[in-house]
Amino acid sequence: MKIECEKWKDQLLEAALTGTTAKDLEEHLQSCAKCSAELDEVRARAARLDALLPLVAQGAEPSADFRARVLAAVTAKEGKRGRPWRAWTLAGATVVVVTLLVVGVTWLRRNEPAIPAGEVAAAQKLAEWRAPSDGLLRTPGQEILKGMPRLGQSYLHVPVKTDEEE
Amino acid sequence: MTGTCVSVLISKAEAPETEARFSERIAENQRRVFQIAYSVLGNSADAEDVAQEAFLRAYQKFASLREAEKFRWWINRIVFRLALNRRRGHGRRLARDSAWQMTETPAMVDGAKYAEQQVLLDRLRREIERLPEKLRSVLQLSLVEEMEAADVGAVLGLPAGTVRSRMHTARKLLLEVMK
């Protein structure tokens, strides 16, 4: 392409892509063989490009068992999601059983038959009873030691008569 | 019986029907969903992985995606995002399909012609990778079967007019470089 034809480059691309030629370009093409040839070349290139472009996305197909594999993956994932549901159910059942046990035991305790008052009083008396010798057994020497003279004290106290009395 | 138990039993009873409907949705959408992933990733194995992941996510939200049209828009968007994420994650390590992995088209029966086409296709993919992101996204989605400008716009959050304009710019840039 001549240097003076460079300005037509963009219009040539547009013409090849849209299939329409602008009036000023058409006039130029009548007098410029190089640009006419260039337009033919760009059009051929555009046709090649249009044939190739779809292959960028449509050059391959999903495998024949794609749908089956997706559904199998869905089932596997759902199975995994199902397990926590079973665990929660088990945990809930355990809580219910334990609660029932606690309530039952409490109810049974509340409804036990009361002990008659007479029996309670007798048991109380029996618990408080002490044998008469218990006090002595606890402190056997205390009473005796109370009456014992200490060191230096006379054991017998003999009253002495003074001279005046005599 | 608690409300939760009742709802679990109802959902279990509805499961076969849900799976049947979901299976229908896969059949209707799988080709397009795969192609969206393939246009971004360029290899079948990764494209299938991403397409499968998109359908699994769709199943989790299937209760709110019962309408065919809603499902279609949602899955187009999610598979495109998943494919972009994978491409960003893998970077240059992402392999392209080699010639024998491609679907055979009538034009490919002739070996020499097929080889030439393959070379051109590889070059075209490289040139697409070099396009600015906003043009590349529009182009990749527009090349998928049944993806009209409105569908592409729904995925990218663009008006259909902008999609057409960007598509034209992308084609023009490619036409210039694919000499």
Side-chain angles (χ1 to χ4, degrees):
Chain A
M1 191 180 273
K2 292 177 198 169
I3 296 170
E4 61 266 30
C5 292
E6 276 290 319
K7 65 174 184 178
W8 298 105
K9 195 175 149 188
D10 189 67
Q11 285 206 42
L12 287 172
L13 291 172
E14 285 289 339
L17 285 172
T18 60
T20 54
T21 317
K23 203 171 181 181
D24 51 348
L25 176 65
E26 216 164 300
E27 284 169 7
H28 172 71
L29 288 174
Q30 282 170 0
S31 61
C32 182
K34 287 232 172 194
C35 281
S36 289
E38 177 72 10
L39 180 60
D40 290 343
E41 201 277 318
V42 175
R43 277 180 177 154
R45 224 191 305 154
R48 271 204 313 273
L49 184 66
D50 285 346
L52 271 179
L53 275 172
L55 293 177
V56 171
Q58 302 164 28
E61 295 282 330
S63 53
D65 63 343
F66 179 75
R67 178 160 52 150
R69 283 197 290 116
V70 172
L71 287 173
V74 163
T75 310
K77 208 161 190 174
E78 283 300 292
K80 276 184 191 169
R81 283 174 63 185
R83 276 176 212 146
W85 175 79
R86 284 203 289 275
W88 279 110
T89 309
L90 194 64
T94 310
V95 168
V96 169
V97 167
V98 169
T99 311
L100 284 175
L101 274 173
V102 170
V103 170
V105 167
T106 313
W107 184 82
L108 280 173
R109 281 191 177 169
R110 278 188 187 172
N111 291 290
E112 270 178 359
I115 302 164
E119 276 184 39
V120 174
Q124 189 73 26
K125 272 188 178 175
L126 195 62
E128 287 172 359
W129 181 81
R130 296 283 180 271
S133 58
D134 278 359
L136 289 173
L137 286 171
R138 264 201 310 274
T139 54
Q142 288 299 317
E143 293 299 320
I144 298 164
L145 287 171
K146 269 185 189 171
M148 286 289 283
R150 291 191 185 157
L151 194 62
Q153 280 184 340
S154 59
Y155 184 71
L156 293 170
H157 181 72
V158 181
V160 181
K161 284 187 179 173
T162 59
D163 293 342
E164 288 170 3
E165 282 176 345
E166 283 172 359
Chain B
M1 194 176 280
T2 62
T4 315
C5 288
V6 171
S7 64
V8 167
L9 286 174
I10 289 170
S11 67
K12 276 186 178 287
E14 284 177 346
E17 196 204 333
T18 305
E19 282 201 12
R21 275 191 185 185
F22 187 66
S23 179
E24 271 175 41
R25 292 281 175 275
I26 298 173
E28 291 160 7
N29 293 278
Q30 62 175 2
R31 192 175 157 84
R32 190 186 61 262
V33 167
F34 172 83
Q35 284 185 2
I36 291 173
Y38 186 78
S39 73
V40 175
L41 298 165
N43 79 77
S44 304
D46 281 313
E48 276 209 6
D49 271 1
V50 165
Q52 180 171 316
E53 176 63 25
F55 277 113
L56 285 177
R57 292 191 184 196
Y59 187 79
Q60 285 163 6
K61 289 188 171 273
F62 196 47
S64 59
L65 298 172
R66 297 272 166 156
E67 287 171 44
E69 199 62 14
K70 206 172 180 182
F71 187 94
R72 180 186 152 93
W73 284 358
W74 190 88
I75 200 140
N76 285 349
R77 200 177 309 136
I78 203 76
V79 75
F80 184 64
R81 283 185 190 166
L82 288 172
L84 286 180
N85 287 347
R86 177 165 294 212
R87 195 183 62 188
R88 282 173 194 141
H90 286 215
R92 288 179 180 272
R93 286 176 288 131
L94 208 64
R96 295 276 178 205
D97 270 357
S98 54
W100 59 270
Q101 287 169 305
M102 304 284 286
T103 309
E104 193 179 85
T105 64
M108 291 176 181
V109 176
D110 179 351
K113 200 173 179 182
Y114 174 50
E116 188 192 336
Q117 191 179 52
Q118 193 56 46
V119 170
L120 282 171
L121 191 58
D122 284 346
R123 216 184 118 203
L124 178 59
R125 283 186 183 284
R126 283 198 301 275
E127 294 299 343
I128 290 172
E129 291 295 322
R130 287 193 190 117
L131 288 175
E133 172 82 42
K134 62 180 187 178
L135 297 182
R136 188 171 62 234
S137 300
V138 166
L139 181 74
Q140 285 166 333
L141 286 166
S142 301
L143 297 177
V144 174
E145 276 179 45
E146 305 166 15
M147 287 289 278
E148 301 298 330
D151 297 316
V152 175
V155 173
L156 299 172
L158 295 171
T162 308
V163 170
R164 285 191 203 97
S165 154
R166 287 187 186 179
M167 182 63 184
H168 179 78
T169 310
R171 281 179 74 215
K172 199 165 156 185
L173 286 172
L174 290 175
L175 187 58
E176 203 176 344
V177 293
M178 286 293 288
K179 285 181 180 170

